[in-house]
C-alpha cells in the first residue's frame, strides 16, 4: 500500500498555512512519499551436535516496505570442535530496492583456535605465570558496496569490491603483586590487502580524489605493548550520628602505559594547498576498516584515571540491616602522549560526578577540559593555553542533569530499596494475635477481594542543561523531559513522555503508550502526535522470546 500526502501540524489549531504559527513558531510539514505499512520476517535455524562437536545453521530475511530494504543473512554456520575451535561462516546482504544500493559480504569466514595456558596447573597454589594465556584468530572478509547514486552521471559514487585477511594473535598476563594488579599485554596483528589507495588533490575544483592501484598481495603487520597498574583502597569512618553508622570512601587509581612504533611504510602524504600542510593517509585506506587499522605515527600513550565512590550505611532500627546508599561518585580520566605526531600531547580531561539526593532526586554532571585553543576551522592548535598566559584549560562541553519523581508511593518511590525485617518469620511464629469475628464478613456484606481501591501512578521530571564550545562561540541547550505512567489494572498500563527545548521553544516528539498483558500474548499501542515520526503503531504478539516474530503489526501515518 502506498500513501502520498502532505502533513502539517499547528500548535494553535489553525489549519491555514499562512496564519498559523505552527509548533513553536516552526512549521512542521512533511512530504511523505511512498510510505508502505508492511514488514515480512523469515527466520530459520537448525542445530545438531555430537560428542566432540556442535553445528548450528540459521537463515534470516527481513523485508521492510517502510524504508524499502531487504536485510538477509544466509547461510550462517557455526561449528564448535571440542569446545575449543570455533568456525563461523556468514553471507549477508543489505539491499535498498528503491535506490538499488547494495552492501554484501560474500562470504565472511572466521576461525578461532583454543586459548593456550602453558603454565596452568590443577593445584590451588598457582604460580606467577599461571594465568599467562595465548590465543589466535583469523578471518577472511569479501565485501561488495554500491551506494550514492548520482542522477547527473547516471552512476553510483561507490561501486566497489573490497576484501582483506586479518590475523590476530593475543597474549594476556595479569599477575598480582601485593595490593597492586599489574596487567602487561602485547598485541601483534597482521592483515593482507589486495590493492593500494592513492589520493590526489585537483586544483581545478579543489577536491581530493581517491583511486586504487597495484592489485596484488600486500602484507601488513603491526605490534604494540602496554602495562596497566591499578589498585583499590578503602577508607572508613564510623560517626554514628544522625543515623549514619558508617561512611566508606573507595578510590581506584589506574594508570596505563602503552607504546606503538611508527610504521611509515604503510602511509603516504598529500599536500593540501587550502590548509597549507601535508596530510598523512593510509595506503590501504579504502579497505583498512576490513582489516587491522594501523595508527599514524609513533605513540607512547599514558592514560590515567581515578574513580571515587562515597557510600553510607544508614541505620533502620535494631532488627533491620543497615541501608546502604551511594552518596557520591566522582571519576576523572585523561591521557598524555609525549610522541604525538600532531603536537597535541595532552588529551582532554573528562570528569563526571553523580550524587543521590534521597527522596528529592538525583543530580549528575560531566565536563571535558581542553589544554589547547582552536583555529578558525575548529582544529586544535598545538600550543598550550598556559604558555600564552591564559588559564591552563578551557571547557569543551559540560552538562548538568537533575531527576526527580513522585507518585502514589511518595517521592522517588522507585529509587527506594526497602529492607526486609530479619525477625519477621520468628515474630510470626511466637506472637499471639486474637482472631477478630467480623459480622459483616460472616453475613456476606464483605466478600473476598474487598479492599481499598488503588491505582499506582508515577510522574518523573528530568531537567538537563548543556554547554558546548564550537569554534569561537558557545552553544547552550536547556530542556525538560517528563514521563508519566498509570497502572489502571494489573494487566493494563498507560505511559507517556515528552520533552521541551527552551532554546528552540518547541516540544520534541511526545510519545503515548498503552500496553496490555494478555497472558501468553501482549498488546501494545503507541501514538506520536507530532514530529517527523508522528503516527500510530499497533502490535499484538507472543511474549515468549523464541516466538517474538509471531505478531501482527500496523502502522498508520
Amino acid at each position: 500500500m502506498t500513501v502520498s500526502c502532505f502533513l502539517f501540524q499547528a500548535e494553535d489549531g489553525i489549519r491555514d498555512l499562512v496564519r498559523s504559527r505552527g509548533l513553536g513558531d516552526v512549521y512542521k510539514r512533511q512530504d511523505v512519499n511512498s510510505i508502505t505499512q508492511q514488514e515480512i520476517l523469515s527466520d530459520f535455524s537448525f542445530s545438531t551436535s555430537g560428542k566432540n562437536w556442535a553445528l548450528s545453521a540459521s537463515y534470516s530475511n527481513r523485508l521492510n516496505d517502510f524504508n524499502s530494504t531487504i536485510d538477509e543473512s544466509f547461510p550462517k554456520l557455526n561449528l564448535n570442535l571440542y569446545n575449543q575451535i570455533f568456525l563461523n561462516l556468514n553471507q549477508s546482504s543489505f539491499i535498498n530496492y528503491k535506490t538499488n544500493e547494495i552492501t554484501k559480504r560474500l562470504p565472511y569466514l572466521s576461525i578461532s583456535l583454543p586459548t593456550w595456558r602453558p603454565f596452568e596447573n590443577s593445584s590451588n597454589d598457582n604460580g606467577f605465570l599461571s594465568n599467562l594465556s595465548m590465543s589466535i584468530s583469523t578471518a577472511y572478509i569479501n565485501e561488495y558496496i554500491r551506494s550514492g547514486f548520482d542522477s547527473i552521471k547516471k552512476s553510483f559514487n561507490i561501486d566497489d569490491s573490497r576484501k582483506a585477511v586479518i590475523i590476530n594473535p593475543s597474549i594476556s598476563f595479569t599477575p598480582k603483586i601485593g595490593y597492586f594488579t599489574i596487567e602487561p599485554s602485547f598485541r601483534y596483528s597482521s592483515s593482507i590487502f589486495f590493492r593500494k589507495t592513492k589520493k590526489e588533490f585537483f586544483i581545478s575544483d579543489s577536491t581530493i580524489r581517491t583511486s586504487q592501484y597495484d592489485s596484488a598481495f600486500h602484507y601488513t603487520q603491526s605490534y604494540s605493548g602496554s602495562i596497566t597498574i591499578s589498585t583499590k583502597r578503602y577508607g572508613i569512618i564510623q560517626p554514628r550520628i544522625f543515623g549514619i553508622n558508617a561512611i566508606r570512601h573507595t578510590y581506584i587509581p589506574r594508570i596505563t602505559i602503552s607504546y606503538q612504533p611508527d610504521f611509515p611504510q604503510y602511509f603516504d602524504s598529500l599536500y593540501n594547498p587550502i590548509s597549507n600542510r601535508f596530510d598523512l593517509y593510509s595506503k590501504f585506506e579504502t579497505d583498512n576498516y576490513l582489516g587491522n587499522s594501523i595508527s599514524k605515527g609513533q605513540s607512547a600513550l599514558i592514560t590515567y584515571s581515578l574513580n571515587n565512590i562515597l557510600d553510607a550505611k544508614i541505620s533502620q532500627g535494631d532488627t533491620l540491616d543497615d541501608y546502604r546508599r551511594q552518596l557520591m561518585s566522582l571519576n576523572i580520566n585523561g591521557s598524555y602522549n609525549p610522541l604525538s605526531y600532531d603536537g597535541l600531547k595532552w588529551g582532554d580531561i573528562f570528569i563526571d560526578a553523580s550524587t543521590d539526593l534521597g527522596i528529592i532526586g538525583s543530580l549528575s554532571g560531566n565536563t571535558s577540559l581542553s589544554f589547547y585553543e582552536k583555529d578558525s576551522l575548529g582544529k586544535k592548535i598545538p600550543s598550550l593555553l598556559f604558555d600564552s598566559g591564559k588559564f591552563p584549560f578551557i571547557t569543551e562541553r559540560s552538562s548538568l542533569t537533575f531527576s526527580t519523581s513522585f507518585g502514589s508511593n511518595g517521592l522517588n518511590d522507585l529509587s527506594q530499596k526497602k529492607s526486609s525485617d530479619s525477625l519477621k518469620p520468628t515474630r510470626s511464629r511466637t506472637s499471639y494475635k486474637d482472631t477478630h469475628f467480623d459480622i459483616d464478613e460472616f453475613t456476606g456484606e464483605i466478600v473476598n477481594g474487598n479492599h481499598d481501591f488503588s491505582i499506582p501512578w508515577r510522574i518523573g521530571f528530568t531537567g538537563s542543561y548543556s554547554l558546548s564550545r564550537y569554534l569561537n562561540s558557545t552553544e547552550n541547550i536547556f530542556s525538560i523531559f517528563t514521563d508519566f505512567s498509570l497502572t489502571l489494572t494489573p494487566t493494563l498500563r498507560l505511559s507517556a513522555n515528552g520533552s521541551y527545548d527552551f532554546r528552540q521553544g518547541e516540544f520534541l516528539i511526545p510519545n503515548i503508550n498503552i500496553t496490555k498483558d494478555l497472558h501468553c500474548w501482549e498488546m501494545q499501542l503507541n501514538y506520536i502526535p507530532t514530529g517527523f515520526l508522528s503516527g500510530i503503531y499497533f502490535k499484538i504478539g507472543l511474549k515468549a522470546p523464541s516466538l517474538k516474530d509471531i505478531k501482527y503489526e500496523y502502522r498508520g501515518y
Side-chain angles (χ1 to χ4, degrees), residues 46-50 53-57 76-81 87:
F46 168 80
S47 63
T48 183
S49 62
W53 60 274
L55 175 67
S56 64
K76 186 175 183 180
L77 301 175
N78 295 282
L79 177 62
N80 180 354
L81 298 176
L87 183 146

Side-chain angles (χ1 to χ4, degrees), residues 521-544:
W521 296 72
E522 185 179 54
M523 183 184 70
Q524 177 184 352
L525 177 65
N526 175 261
Y527 173 57
I528 302 178
T530 64
F532 175 71
L533 299 176
S534 62
I536 296 176
Y537 171 75
F538 174 80
K539 184 188 80 169
I540 184 170
L542 288 171
K543 293 193 297 184

Side-chain angles (χ1 to χ4, degrees), residues 432-459:
Y432 173 77
K433 181 179 181 181
D434 189 16
T435 303
H436 173 68
F437 178 77
D438 193 325
I439 186 63
D440 292 331
E441 183 177 355
F442 179 77
T443 58
E445 295 296 329
I446 298 178
V447 297
N448 289 336
N450 180 272
H451 56 80
D452 294 335
F453 183 71
S454 176
I455 298 180
W457 60 274
R458 177 185 177 273
I459 299 177

Side-chain angles (χ1 to χ4, degrees), residues 353-412:
S354 62
T355 182
D356 185 355
L357 302 177
I359 63 173
I360 298 176
S362 62
L363 182 67
S364 63
N366 62 77
T367 186
S368 63
L369 308 174
S370 175
F371 295 93
Y372 303 96
E373 278 281 12
K374 293 182 178 180
D375 58 19
S376 58
L377 298 177
K379 188 177 180 63
K380 290 183 179 180
I381 303 172
S383 177
L384 291 173
L385 291 167
F386 182 78
D387 294 338
S388 303
K390 300 179 180 179
F391 197 71
F393 48 80
I394 189 172
T395 302
E396 286 286 336
R397 60 188 63 86
S398 296
S399 67
L400 186 66
T401 302
F402 172 75
S403 299
T404 188
S405 67
F406 61 92
S408 53
N409 293 331
L411 286 171
N412 290 282

